[in-house]
Amino acid sequence: MSASLKLAEKECWTYKDCLQWPDDYRAEIIDGEVYEMPAPTTKHQAIVMNMSAIIWTFLRDKPEKGKVYPAPFGVRLWPKTDYSDAVYFEPDIVVMCDRAKLGEKGCEGAPDMVVEILSPSSASKDMVLKFRKYAQAGVREYWIIDPDRSTIQVCLLENGGYKVAAYEETDTVPVTILPGLEIKMPEVFSEE
């Protein structure tokens, strides 16, 4: 279970501040503001495991194609050498095709694919704030999974913005950055 900290008033939080927090404290920083991350639900974690397993199985014999990392896995979209970057995320799932961006504590730069699973406390952040930041940083593929509606929005980067396609319960969804990988929606939402 994640701890909660009483943070002092500060005008702009940075990644350098994150490095001082206890390991079990989960929070993200968007434009210098801290957003605590509550413990995920069982359904949320089942989806993380299902998606990670599907992608991992596809990549298992193709390490040159990329690697999948489930949360907690830090992402610094615009890393600065002095750690003063004011944006830091811990997406639910990250796929990295460019291993040069892999740092000791996560991804340093835009991952190739990010998957976020909505929860009541994170929905607006994932669908608005992170949506914008991921597009600005150049994340090529951004999936937003809604466990309550059993839907997936796939956002593909085109000309600096996202083109969004929606998928429902029985659809099969292609993973654009990993040609040949298609994910069946029932496998994503299975709780068995």
Side-chain angles (χ1 to χ4, degrees), residues 2-5 7 21-27 34-36 90:
S2 190
S4 185
L5 287 179
L7 298 174
W21 295 338
D23 289 342
D24 64 345
Y25 179 67
R26 293 203 51 221
V34 174
Y35 293 83
E36 287 191 352
E90 287 189 5

Side-chain angles (χ1 to χ4, degrees), residues 127 131 142-146 151-155 164-167:
M127 296 180 75
F131 181 91
Y142 176 35
W143 287 33
I144 303 170
I145 299 178
D146 187 333
T151 61
I152 297 177
Q153 289 183 21
V154 174
C155 312
V164 181
Y167 296 88

Side-chain angles (χ1 to χ4, degrees), residues 58-113:
F58 178 81
L59 291 172
R60 176 178 48 202
D61 299 327
K62 305 171 195 72
E64 73 285 354
K65 300 267 186 202
K67 194 157 170 83
V68 61
Y69 296 93
F73 186 78
V75 172
R76 298 170 58 207
L77 294 174
W78 298 280
K80 296 182 179 178
T81 56
D82 66 354
Y83 303 135
S84 66
D85 26 322
V87 175
Y88 171 77
F89 292 143
E90 287 189 5
D92 291 309
I93 301 170
V94 171
V95 177
M96 293 179 56
C97 301
D98 182 356
R99 299 259 179 129
K101 294 179 183 176
L102 187 60
E104 185 179 321
K105 293 187 175 273
C107 182
E108 297 178 357
D112 296 281
M113 179 179 179

Side-chain angles (χ1 to χ4, degrees), residues 163-184:
K163 179 179 177 186
V164 181
Y167 296 88
E168 297 182 0
E169 288 182 66
T170 58
D171 291 336
T172 298
V173 188
V175 180
T176 303
I177 66 155
L178 299 173
L181 176 57
E182 294 185 336
I183 297 178
K184 296 178 176 85

Side-chain angles (χ1 to χ4, degrees), residues 28-49:
E28 296 179 312
I29 300 174
I30 303 174
D31 296 328
E33 187 174 338
V34 174
Y35 293 83
E36 287 191 352
M37 301 170 65
T41 65
T42 304
K43 187 174 189 177
H44 180 282
Q45 288 304 89
I47 294 169
V48 169
M49 290 302 294

Side-chain angles (χ1 to χ4, degrees), residues 125-144:
K125 179 176 67 165
D126 292 338
M127 296 180 75
V128 179
L129 299 174
K130 287 183 162 187
F131 181 91
R132 288 183 193 140
K133 294 295 181 190
Y134 289 143
Q136 290 169 357
V139 174
R140 296 188 296 151
E141 192 160 348
Y142 176 35
W143 287 33
I144 303 170

